[in-house]
Structure formats: structure tokens, C-alpha cells
Amino acid sequence: MKKVSFLNLIFLLAYSVGFTQVKVSGVVKDEHNETVPFANIVFVGSNTGTVSDENGKFYLESNKTYTKIEVSFLGFETKTLPIKSRDFNLTIILKEEASQLKEVFIYRGKIKKKGNPAIAILKKIWAKKRQNGIYLFDQYEYKKYEKLEFDLNNVDSVMKKSKLFKGMEFVFEGVDTSRITGKAFLPIFINESVYKSYGKNKGGRKLREDLIANKNSGFDTNQNVIAFIKDLYVDYNIYDSYIKIFDKSFVSPISKASGISTYNYVLRDSAFIDNKWCYNILYYPRRKNELTFKGDFWVNDTTFAVKEINMQATRSANINWVKDIYIEQEFQVLNDSVFLLKRDYMLSDFSLNKKEKSKGMYGRRTTMYKDYKFNEVKEEKFYAKKVNVYDDNIYNKTTNYWNENRQEKLNKNEQGIYKMLDTLKTVPKFKQIYNLVSILGSGYIELNNFDFGPIYSTFGTNDVEGMRLRIGGRTFFGSNDTWRIQAYTAYGFKDNKFKYGVSGKWMLNPKSRFIIGVGNRRDIEQIGVSLTTTNDILGRSFASSSFFASGDNSKLTSINLSNVFMSLESKHNLEFKLGASFRTLKSASPETFNLDYWIDKENNNKKSELTQSELNFSIRYRPNRKTIGYGVERNEVTDTYSTLFLNYSRGIKGVFNSDFDYQKVQFYYRQPILIGGFGRMFTTFEVGKTFGEVPLGLLSVVPGNQSYFTIENTYALLNYYEFVTDTYASLHIEHNFNGRLFSRIPLLRKLNLREIIGVKGVLGSISDENKALNASSTINYIAPTKGYYEYSVGIGNIFKVFRIDFSWRGNYKEIPGANNFAIKGAFGFYF
């Protein structure tokens, strides 16, 4: 009898342990079998809940013991249901109710604004939002712990039996279940960092973050993975009107500018949170296909600072390759009036489509803050000093250090990632998969300390070379190499000539990024496809190797360019560069094109080859640019930074038989602008002037585009050499509405198309002296003295990878052979 009682006790204990993890999922419908989107589902007796999605589906999980859930939505009777520990795929039917509440707040499926207590609370949040957070203090500091993770999701028996994982079945021992989506996932990457952060508000805001420790479970090159995640999960402030994620502006549920017009708000509950009485407000979008969230937040009843918030992007949001975005933030109480960020969690589900069972990958970031200190005075120069990220001690902390400095302990599966990947490195099949992904991402085939590529430049064609074959490579000992040599050779099957290029760079001082370089290139190129020019040895324009081009594509130049330079980055993203170059230019096809200029016009003495020595000094500033690594070459991880570039060139006659004396000044400015919920605009402004008399090969040619593809900073309706200048000013403006307009058209809404408009203009002139030098029989100098312009409208995100642009010429239509209309396209992967 005692034995039976003991077994029963063990059984009940095991059952209760299993039951403490409650998981429930399903769909909410009405009596007409229509789904109820954004219904409220909570565990009875708790503050743990969720909101159903646009299709009425939900998932809810807790580690505590709950036996009932409550389902409610305005206009329907509240329903309470008993649950088991793992109730999946429930169908919950809500009955409509005839109440005054429905008449007051529900109008055509939307909640009225007038008299809504939730909106009254929201207005008090707006009135007091500046009293919350670290911006109350002149100076502050804190410790930050950050954990980044990648997981394969929707792991099922089919995946486990896949041939892809044959010989690697042991990895599935770490399968876990997401508390957000309920999907099984397999952790495959983790990176941990500890920072000490210092900030100031008075006299201009500044933030200094010192990396104290870093640990990752991956490979030598996984800095690229880390940076990719960091770029996707940028910092955001819920009190801002818009939250930028994946370069898209989502309307914040706390937005004063657009919140009420974008979301429905419902006062759902009130309770004590950390001994503070708080209101709970549920919110969900008024319209589909907009960049919005659904979720709820808790706000204190006296300070009206947000205590907790969760935000889940709606599935219908116009964003590619991302099925789910989920954000949680928790704030701690400093005193009765100040709340500080305590925990920030974000999950994104990357997938090829948004179907429920489609497989993909989770990206997760958890950031935790502690040990806040305020108004400890530090001098201005303290914030300019940066920690030495090259210190090996940062990356070799002991296990005891991590146990003491993690603000959140790793769970069992997270701990297993380190061991699992160490084992995977020894599996040949995994190495093959890893190498394939690396080749597709970088464009290079990795060999022993040498990379072959880039493979995407192997084939090309033009009217002079015909089919062009190119092979090349670079030295590569690691992503942080302090020196690198690159070279290539190419062969044209029509002109039967070999071409080549070789360059080397050495970084002599990593802290100041003092770099020297040298190189030589002999090749065929389409010059005049960029107003702002550089002496990049291995650069090659799209125009000289385009597979598809319109009109005459034979105006190519044979170039022999040698260059030496030294550069210095005295301040982060501020680069100074001094260089010298020597080049010869001549026509690659004298029968169809020439660069001739007069030496003595009276005696009919002209020259077909240009020889020129030149000195260059440039300043390039790219504020807010993010890079990874610290080698001689770094990878950029975002394109949303502005660029300012100033270049001065001096041609010196007589040096190495150089032909001309001249001076050239060029300025380039590119600025991306996020305009709240109205999308993103790119503006590019260029201005330049050449002082002195120079021939065609040294003038500023307005860049045409004879390909069938949309190319940035070129003019879609201009042919090569259609406009030639020595003084110019150019402005390009392009705005992408990110689907804001199409999302309001029912028939187009589901296609997630994006509207693009643009206008381009250039004003320029050319002196009579430079005109007099021209002896080319193929190029007549015409400058856009009246100002040339063209405009375009486009549709982007076609099948998620294609855009099409329709361009119209604004003036100069009388030029013989002028193109007045063009349709061009472009491929790309965009979020």
C-alpha cells in the first residue's frame, strides 16, 4: 500500500511539473464563422495575455500554472474556457452582444475616439513623456548586457529526416519552443557582449560605449553575422512617433502624431506592477497593410510613464522576408517620477513567405541594463575616447566572468550552442554547406589564404571586346587582415586582347587607420559614367560590361592607370586621402570613336592619345556609417548614412611627359531621409569645376545610361557623351513611399507594391577654349546650359525582387537621336 502511494506521489509530482508550462493556441471566430482579429486572450488571474492576429490566430504560453483563459473583444460577450497544459488548435466562438458600449465605441469595425478612456490616458502620456528616462540628467552611465541569437524555426520531423542533415542529427538535441509563436526552433548561433556605457545630455547629446567582453559561438568570419543582426535591430524609442526597423518607419503605438489615426485603443485592465498602480491598454491597427503593430502596454497612473509594452508587427505589413516582428520592453522604477529601461527583447522571423508553416530563421536580441548612475561629472574629452577593440582580453574572458556578468542566465539550449558548433566544425558536410553560403554572400571562393573571385564579374560583354572572361582573386588570411593584394586578368574574344589589374593596400596604424596603397590597371572602360571621379585601380563601370544595352556601346576607352596613395582616418568615419596617378587614354575602337584633340589646329596637328600626371587630395565624411572588423578593408552594414566627399585634383604638365596643366574641384553629397510614415527619400547633389584647358578625356561628362537597368546617379534618357561640361551642378531626388498609397487600394493591397517617384536635373557649361581643343570626329560638345531634367515614376517590390521605372525627358528633346521615354528595371532584395 505504501509502495502504491509513493508511486502515485511521484506521478502527481511529474504531472504537476509538466503542467506548470501552459501552452495554448487556436483561432477566434464569431457566430458566422468569420475570424475575429485582434481579440484579447489572457490567462485568468494573471497579467499574461496576447492579441489575435489579422486572421484571428493566437498563441499564449506561461511557465506558471493556469487552468483557464479569458477571450474578449468589444462588441462580443467575454468567454472563459478551461485549458489543459498543451491545448493547441482551439476554435473559440464569440457571441455578439447588444450593449451601449458597442454603440458608443464601435463604428464600422473601428473604435470611436470621442469619450474613449484609453485615449484620455494616452494624451497624459504625451504630456509627461519628457519626464521619463535618462534624458532628465546631464550625465549618466550604466552597464549593458547584449545577447544575439539565430535559430532555425518550424523544426519538424521532415526537417530532421532531410538528407541535408544526414550525419548531423545530433544538432536536433537542442530543439526548443518559442514562447512568442509556439514554433519549434533550433538554436544555431549566439553572441554575448558586455558594455560600459556613458552619456551626456547637456551641451549636445553624446554616448560612449566601451566593449568590455565578447563571446560568440561561431566561426572566424561571423562578425558579418553579428553586424547583420545589429543593423536589423537598431535602437528605438517607443515615445518617438515612428520606430525604424529594417529601414521602414512603423507607427509607434505611443505616437502623438499618428497614433490615434492609426490604432484602435481599448482600456483593458488595471493592476499593481512593481508596487505601482498601472493601466493596461490594448491597441491594434485600424487598417491592413500599413507598417503597424498590435499588442498592449501598462502605464503608471500618476507619472504616466510606460512600465511594460509589447509590440507585434501585423502580418499584412508591407515588409519582405520577415514574417513576424515582436518587441518587449520593461522599465524599472528609479523613483516616483523616473522610469528607466531595464530589458529590451526583439524577435524577428525571417522567411521566404508569410505562410504559417513556412520554415525560416529567428533573429533574437536581448538587451539588459543595470547599475545606472547619474550626474557623475566627466570632461568633454572623455566621451571622444574609444576603447581599444583590438584587445584580445575582450574576447578571452573566463567562464567565471561570464557567470558573474550575465544579467540573464543562459538556458540549457543556449548553453548547448557553444558545444554544438564546436562539434559541427569537425563535420565535413557542414563545412561544405557553410562554404557554399559564404561564396553566395561574399562572391568569393575561399582557398588557402586566397579567395578566387568575385565570381559575379566572371562574364561580361560589350561592342569592342565581345564576350569578356575575367578571373581574379585576393589574399585573405582573415576578415581583419592589415594588408591585402588583389589582382585580375581578363580576355576579350572579339579584340583578342588580355587586360589586367593589380593593387595592394597596407594598414600601418590600426588606430588612425593609416593606409598606403599602390596599383596598376590596363583595361577597357566606359569613362564618363560618373560625375564625381576617383582613381580606383580595380573599379570598372557597369557600362563596359553590360550584357544588355541600347544604342551604340562602342565609345570605350583603353586606359593605363597607375596610382599611389595614403589615407588617414583621424576621426571615426572622417577620411583624408592624398594620392598621385599617371594615366594614358586612347580610343579602344578608333573606327567608331576617338578622343582626338588639337595640338596645332592651323597646321592640322592633332593627337589621339592623352598622357596625364595628377595629384589628388580628398576628404570623405560618412557620419553614422556602421562597419565591421578593423582590417585594411571593412564591410559596411547599412546604407542609411549620409556621405560628403570633397576632391581636389591638380594636373601637372611635363611630369612623365604629361600633357596638361589644370585644377579640378568636385563636391558630392548624398543624404537619405526617413519621412515618418511616408517612406524614404534619397537626395544626391554634385557640383564641380575644371580650371584650365583640357580635352574630352579630362572633362566632366554627364553620365548617361544605355543599359536596360536602373542605375543610381545616371540619367536614364541620356546616351554616353550626350552632354559634356567643365562646370556642372547635378541634383537627383528619389522617394519611395513604401506602399503607403497602394495599401489603401483594395485590389492592390495584397500585392504589397511600393510607389517610387523621382526627378533628376543637371545644369552645366563648357568654355570656348575647351571647345576649341576638341578634334574628335565622333563627339560634339553640348552642355546643358538651360538645365536638363527628367522625371520618373516606378513600381517596386514586384515579386519582392524587381522594380520597374518609367522615365520621361523634360527638355532638350530637339537633340538628334534624343530618347524621350524609357522603361528600365532593377533586381534587388529589399525588406
Side-chain angles (χ1 to χ4, degrees):
M1 185 69 180
K2 290 183 179 180
K3 183 176 181 181
V4 173
S5 299
F6 178 74
L7 291 175
N8 288 340
L9 180 62
I10 295 296
F11 174 78
L12 290 173
L13 179 62
Y15 180 78
S16 64
V17 170
F19 193 65
T20 57
Q21 189 177 54
V22 185
K23 300 180 180 183
V24 58
S25 67
V27 61
V28 182
K29 294 185 176 183
D30 63 15
E31 295 173 292
H32 308 291
N33 204 35
E34 296 289 333
T35 59
V36 179
F38 312 120
N40 181 33
I41 304 99
V42 296
F43 287 120
V44 174
S46 78
N47 295 325
T48 303
T50 188
V51 181
S52 64
D53 65 17
E54 299 98 309
N55 300 313
K57 295 181 179 179
F58 71 91
Y59 174 80
L60 188 59
E61 174 184 315
S62 176
N63 289 324
K64 296 182 179 179
T65 303
Y66 297 111
T67 58
K68 296 179 182 180
I69 59 170
E70 183 180 273
V71 185
S72 61
F73 189 69
L74 282 176
F76 292 87
E77 294 180 0
T78 299
K79 191 167 188 175
T80 302
L81 296 171
I83 57 171
K84 299 178 181 178
S85 62
R86 292 175 181 265
D87 255 343
F88 290 98
N89 299 320
L90 297 176
T91 299
I92 302 170
I93 306 298
L94 295 183
K95 294 182 179 180
E96 294 185 14
E97 64 177 8
S99 67
Q100 285 190 344
L101 183 64
K102 180 178 178 181
E103 295 175 0
V104 172
F105 290 111
I106 304 297
Y107 177 69
R108 292 182 183 176
K110 298 178 182 178
I111 298 178
K112 282 188 175 182
K113 304 171 186 177
K114 187 176 181 180
N116 187 342
I119 292 180
I121 294 171
L122 199 64
K123 289 180 178 179
K124 292 181 179 180
I125 294 175
W126 298 336
K128 292 197 173 187
K129 70 175 184 178
R130 296 184 184 276
Q131 298 180 15
N132 297 288
I134 57 178
Y135 301 113
L136 282 173
F137 303 92
D138 291 343
Q139 296 186 337
Y140 59 89
E141 59 186 81
Y142 53 81
K143 290 181 181 179
K144 184 173 81 171
Y145 166 74
E146 186 175 63
K147 178 173 60 178
L148 306 171
E149 299 169 84
F150 264 152
D151 317 296
L152 293 177
N153 63 33
N154 263 333
V155 176
D156 55 19
S157 58
V158 176
M159 178 183 288
K160 293 178 181 180
K161 296 177 181 178
S162 170
K163 292 182 180 180
L164 182 66
F165 291 96
K166 189 174 182 180
M168 299 184 290
E169 291 84 357
F170 64 90
V171 302
F172 293 106
E173 295 174 3
V175 170
D176 202 346
T177 303
S178 169
R179 65 180 176 85
I180 308 300
T181 65
K183 297 177 184 176
F185 68 86
L186 175 65
I188 58 172
F189 173 87
I190 185 170
N191 176 270
E192 300 177 272
S193 299
V194 175
Y195 296 90
K196 181 67 176 178
S197 302
Y198 309 86
K200 64 183 289 288
N201 295 308
K202 191 174 182 179
R205 288 182 179 177
K206 289 188 177 180
L207 177 65
R208 167 181 164 179
E209 282 197 332
D210 293 350
L211 179 63
I212 307 300
N214 180 265
K215 181 180 182 181
N216 68 70
S217 63
F219 300 84
D220 294 337
T221 58
N222 68 10
Q223 284 190 72
N224 294 277
V225 179
I226 300 166
F228 175 72
I229 300 174
K230 282 181 175 291
D231 182 46
L232 298 181
Y233 301 141
V234 295
D235 293 331
Y236 43 82
N237 183 349
I238 62 170
Y239 290 110
D240 290 338
S241 293
Y242 296 92
I243 296 174
K244 194 191 95 171
I245 306 173
F246 306 115
D247 286 335
K248 300 289 186 297
S249 295
F250 286 75
V251 179
S252 170
I254 315 295
S255 172
K256 181 178 180 180
S258 305
I260 293 178
S261 62
T262 303
Y263 293 102
N264 291 306
Y265 295 93
V266 180
L267 178 59
R268 182 172 69 175
D269 199 359
S270 58
F272 280 104
I273 305 291
D274 290 341
N275 297 319
K276 296 289 180 182
W277 189 254
C278 297
Y279 299 115
N280 183 227
I281 294 178
L282 171 75
Y283 63 90
Y284 56 91
R286 289 178 172 267
R287 294 170 295 273
K288 291 185 176 181
N289 290 81
E290 294 185 355
L291 297 175
T292 53
F293 300 101
K294 67 180 180 71
D296 69 299
F297 57 88
W298 290 87
V299 55
N300 182 251
D301 71 330
T302 53
T303 63
F304 292 97
V306 174
K307 187 68 177 67
E308 296 179 4
I309 188 170
N310 72 74
M311 302 180 287
Q312 187 167 6
T314 54
R315 284 279 181 92
S316 62
N318 192 341
I319 185 169
N320 296 329
W321 321 116
V322 181
K323 185 159 51 177
D324 282 307
I325 302 172
Y326 181 81
I327 297 171
E328 288 178 353
Q329 284 193 333
E330 298 177 21
F331 298 84
Q332 69 180 44
V333 179
L334 180 65
N335 53 47
D336 286 342
S337 61
V338 179
F339 289 77
L340 298 169
L341 186 59
K342 177 182 179 181
R343 185 176 185 272
D344 182 10
Y345 174 81
M346 182 172 183
L347 175 146
S348 288
D349 184 353
F350 301 99
S351 179
L352 293 177
N353 59 65
K354 297 187 179 183
K355 294 180 180 179
E356 189 65 32
K357 294 184 178 181
S358 63
K359 292 177 173 55
M361 183 174 290
Y362 288 141
R364 295 186 287 154
R365 184 186 76 168
T366 304
T367 310
M368 304 188 73
Y369 305 82
K370 71 175 184 179
D371 297 345
Y372 282 95
K373 297 179 182 178
F374 299 98
N375 292 337
E376 294 190 359
V377 179
K378 292 179 174 57
E379 297 180 358
E380 183 76 17
K381 62 182 181 180
F382 172 83
Y383 296 96
K385 186 178 179 181
K386 301 294 182 182
V387 70
N388 180 16
V389 296
Y390 321 116
D391 187 354
D392 289 338
N393 290 328
I394 294 175
Y395 309 96
N396 295 297
K397 298 294 185 182
T398 65
T399 301
N400 288 336
Y401 174 89
W402 285 105
N403 290 338
E404 294 173 2
N405 287 274
R406 285 190 183 104
Q407 296 185 41
E408 182 177 77
K409 292 183 179 180
L410 299 182
N411 62 36
K412 181 180 178 181
N413 290 320
E414 289 172 338
Q415 294 172 8
I417 298 175
Y418 290 104
K419 182 179 179 180
M420 180 191 73
L421 283 179
D422 285 340
T423 306
L424 270 178
K425 291 177 185 179
T426 65
V427 179
K429 186 172 182 179
F430 180 78
K431 290 182 178 180
Q432 293 173 3
I433 297 172
Y434 177 80
N435 289 337
L436 176 60
V437 174
S438 177
I439 291 169
L440 294 175
S442 68
Y444 285 90
I445 300 173
E446 297 180 14
L447 305 174
N448 291 330
N449 300 329
F450 181 83
D451 286 355
F452 176 83
I455 58 175
Y456 302 119
S457 300
T458 303
F459 298 101
T461 183
N462 57 65
D463 289 349
V464 175
E465 296 176 284
M467 178 61 70
R468 172 186 169 98
L469 179 65
R470 180 190 186 279
I471 59 172
R474 65 184 183 183
T475 59
F476 193 91
F477 297 87
S479 59
N480 294 319
D481 288 346
T482 55
W483 63 272
R484 181 153 294 153
I485 296 175
Q486 302 179 72
Y488 77 89
T489 184
Y491 181 77
F493 288 89
K494 185 176 179 180
D495 65 355
N496 297 316
K497 292 181 180 179
F498 280 97
K499 296 88 181 175
Y500 73 86
V502 59
S503 71
K505 299 177 183 178
W506 291 265
M507 184 165 61
L508 303 181
N509 187 330
K511 288 187 177 181
S512 64
R513 295 197 59 79
F514 179 59
I515 298 172
I516 60 173
V518 62
N520 174 252
R521 169 165 55 100
R522 294 191 178 193
D523 207 340
I524 288 177
E525 185 178 334
Q526 177 70 63
I527 63 174
V529 292
S530 175
L531 279 171
T532 305
T533 57
T534 63
N535 290 319
D536 183 9
I537 289 295
L538 296 187
R540 181 175 172 85
S541 73
F542 68 92
S544 51
S545 49
S546 173
F547 271 99
F548 306 101
S550 62
D552 180 14
N553 192 26
S554 64
K555 294 183 175 67
L556 300 176
T557 299
S558 180
I559 182 170
N560 180 2
L561 172 64
S562 298
N563 183 43
V564 295
F565 74 88
M566 57 182 179
S567 65
L568 179 72
E569 195 171 299
S570 59
K571 181 182 176 182
H572 185 56
N573 286 328
L574 177 62
E575 178 191 74
F576 297 90
K577 190 173 184 179
L578 178 64
S581 65
F582 176 79
R583 77 188 69 195
T584 61
L585 302 174
K586 63 181 180 180
S587 173
S589 177
E591 300 82 10
T592 58
F593 166 70
N594 65 73
L595 295 164
D596 295 355
Y597 60 93
W598 293 110
I599 297 176
D600 184 353
K601 191 173 184 179
E602 292 183 0
N603 296 313
N604 198 32
N605 186 9
K606 60 184 178 181
K607 191 174 180 182
S608 299
E609 182 174 320
L610 172 67
T611 301
Q612 190 61 52
S613 298
E614 188 178 84
L615 292 176
N616 301 92
F617 175 72
S618 65
I619 303 173
R620 191 188 304 269
Y621 182 45
R622 291 168 283 195
N624 301 318
R625 180 181 67 140
K626 295 182 180 180
T627 60
I628 54 173
Y630 52 85
V632 68
E633 292 182 350
R634 295 177 295 180
N635 291 327
E636 296 181 353
V637 295
T638 178
D639 65 349
T640 57
Y641 58 85
S642 56
T643 300
L644 295 92
F645 178 74
L646 178 64
N647 183 66
Y648 170 77
S649 302
R650 175 66 186 266
I652 306 174
K653 187 176 181 178
V655 177
F656 301 114
N657 297 316
S658 179
D659 291 325
F660 292 93
D661 269 320
Y662 62 89
Q663 298 179 73
K664 181 181 288 187
V665 179
Q666 296 173 303
F667 176 73
Y668 171 95
Y669 175 48
R670 182 178 186 268
Q671 179 66 56
I673 306 171
L674 285 172
I675 309 178
F678 290 92
R680 182 169 71 168
M681 177 183 293
F682 278 103
T683 61
T684 304
F685 175 68
E686 297 177 86
V687 62
K689 183 173 180 59
T690 301
F691 301 89
E693 300 173 18
V694 292
L696 180 61
L698 298 174
L699 289 170
S700 299
V701 180
V702 178
N705 179 6
Q706 292 182 206
S707 76
Y708 291 111
F709 296 95
T710 301
I711 306 296
E712 188 177 1
N713 291 338
T714 65
Y715 289 83
L717 294 163
L718 291 184
N719 294 319
Y720 304 133
Y721 295 103
E722 189 165 338
F723 289 129
V724 180
T725 74
D726 55 28
T727 304
Y728 65 86
S730 172
L731 178 65
H732 290 215
I733 300 175
E734 180 180 283
H735 184 78
N736 190 326
F737 288 94
N738 282 328
R740 185 176 180 87
L741 304 179
F742 286 152
S743 67
R744 285 166 165 75
I745 302 175
L747 295 178
L748 295 177
R749 182 180 296 156
K750 292 185 178 181
L751 297 177
N752 281 334
L753 300 176
R754 298 171 187 171
E755 323 83 351
I756 305 163
I757 60 172
V759 62
K760 306 174 183 180
V762 60
L763 177 68
S765 63
I766 187 165
S767 68
D768 293 336
E769 291 80 6
N770 284 330
K771 286 181 180 180
L773 272 178
N774 181 30
S776 173
S777 59
T778 57
I779 303 297
N780 294 317
Y781 289 0
I782 301 176
T785 54
K786 296 183 297 183
Y788 168 81
Y789 73 97
E790 60 186 50
Y791 51 94
S792 64
V793 296
I795 301 173
N797 207 40
I798 301 171
F799 305 119
K800 298 183 181 180
V801 296
F802 187 69
R803 69 177 269 184
I804 186 169
D805 293 284
F806 304 88
S807 301
W808 291 267
R809 193 180 186 108
N811 57 355
Y812 283 96
K813 299 179 182 180
E814 70 280 0
I815 295 177
N819 298 314
N820 295 320
F821 174 74
I823 301 175
K824 298 182 185 291
F827 288 94
F829 290 89
Y830 309 101
F831 283 109

